Amino acid sequence: RIVELTSQMMLEDGISVPQLAHVCRVLVGSPGVFDACRNRVSPAMVNSLQRLGLPASGPLENRALTLDMVELLLRWDGDQSSEAEGKLSSEQADNIAHFLVRLKLLVADGFSESRNAGDSEASSVALDHRISGLLQELLSKRRPRVRASPLEKCISRDLKTLALLLACLELIDTLVRNRYNDFLRRNAPLVRDIIALSVERAKDDKKLRLKLR
């Protein structure tokens, strides 16, 4: 009954973001309560990620919460016991990957113009490290489909901030290390543009120079 109520609340159209965040905090704070019925709450969790984590004016704590949710989803997905439920579908894994890519770019963009007054740079850096670690885990274990659209949108904005350019370069590096060769071939012009711009801007930024080595 608790599981059904939780899932229903997460999927209700009228639920506010603070209410959704509260429900999700309860869920990630007491995962044992939901272990046996994880296959019923996992879809609702995946569907809630973008609403909690991607609003440009959203608080950092909500973005951190979405990473707690992703960690739990990946833990359930990796459970090898014979009775385990809650395995992510291919579509759900794809959606989580797309969310993590978008969130990484959003956090990077927040280093400059869009960071909330209460969000420290140290907190944003820690959040970025968590995103990168979860994306690496997901790519290596599930091989989800990665969409180019978030990177394309960044290029269309001329990547005026170094932090955003560095995030794009880190994403390309992650795809290379995980042998996403099909993605790299299909999007070769995009990859070349990101690398070329990084080389051009690297003379003024040590982090870019280190990443290009």
Side-chain angles (χ1 to χ4, degrees):
R1 181 58 181 169
I2 293 176
V3 174
E4 291 177 2
L5 181 60
T6 301
S7 299
Q8 289 174 2
M9 290 178 64
M10 293 173 71
L11 295 173
E12 282 180 0
D13 291 335
I15 189 171
S16 67
V17 170
Q19 289 171 330
L20 179 61
H22 175 72
V23 172
C24 291
R25 285 193 185 92
V26 171
L27 196 156
V28 299
S30 305
V33 176
F34 301 92
D35 271 351
C37 303
R38 62 185 78 169
N39 62 315
R40 292 156 66 186
V41 296
S42 291
M45 291 172 67
V46 174
N47 290 338
S48 299
L49 292 173
Q50 293 196 24
R51 190 174 179 205
L52 283 173
L54 295 183
S57 59
L60 208 63
E61 62 183 15
N62 280 2
R63 294 172 186 169
L65 172 61
T66 62
L67 299 185
D68 293 337
M69 294 163 66
V70 171
E71 286 178 349
L72 180 56
L73 286 165
L74 292 182
R75 193 190 85 192
W76 281 342
D77 184 67
D79 191 335
Q80 299 299 313
S81 66
S82 58
E83 300 85 7
E85 296 179 330
K87 295 288 185 183
L88 294 170
S89 67
S90 296
E91 182 181 3
Q92 289 169 342
D94 292 350
N95 287 339
I96 293 173
H98 187 58
F99 167 75
L100 290 173
V101 169
R102 290 184 63 191
L103 184 59
K104 181 176 179 65
L105 297 174
L106 180 64
V107 170
D109 202 24
F111 281 125
S112 54
E113 56 197 52
S114 63
R115 188 192 307 135
N116 290 329
D119 295 344
S120 70
E121 183 173 343
S123 298
S124 295
V125 169
L127 194 69
D128 177 69
H129 287 168
R130 287 186 69 194
I131 296 168
S132 297
L134 289 170
L135 184 60
Q136 168 62 33
E137 180 181 354
L138 181 62
L139 295 184
S140 63
K141 292 182 178 179
R142 288 300 308 265
R143 306 294 297 177
R145 182 173 67 91
V146 176
R147 303 173 211 174
S149 53
L151 293 168
E152 290 170 341
K153 289 179 181 177
C154 287
I155 284 291
S156 69
R157 293 173 50 194
D158 296 326
L159 290 175
K160 294 179 180 178
T161 69
L162 287 172
L164 192 54
L165 178 57
L166 181 61
C168 290
L169 191 61
E170 287 176 347
L171 287 169
I172 295 299
D173 181 58
T174 299
L175 293 171
V176 170
R177 286 188 287 106
N178 285 278
R179 301 182 184 278
Y180 266 69
N181 298 329
D182 287 343
F183 175 95
L184 298 171
R185 280 193 295 267
R186 287 196 312 271
N187 300 284
L190 172 65
V191 174
R192 283 197 301 267
D193 286 346
I194 292 173
I195 293 175
L197 187 55
S198 299
V199 171
E200 179 185 336
R201 301 284 296 276
K203 62 179 181 293
D204 300 318
D205 188 83
K206 183 179 179 179
K207 288 183 178 179
L208 278 175
R209 290 197 298 272
L210 290 174
K211 183 58 66 175
L212 285 167
R213 289 180 180 175

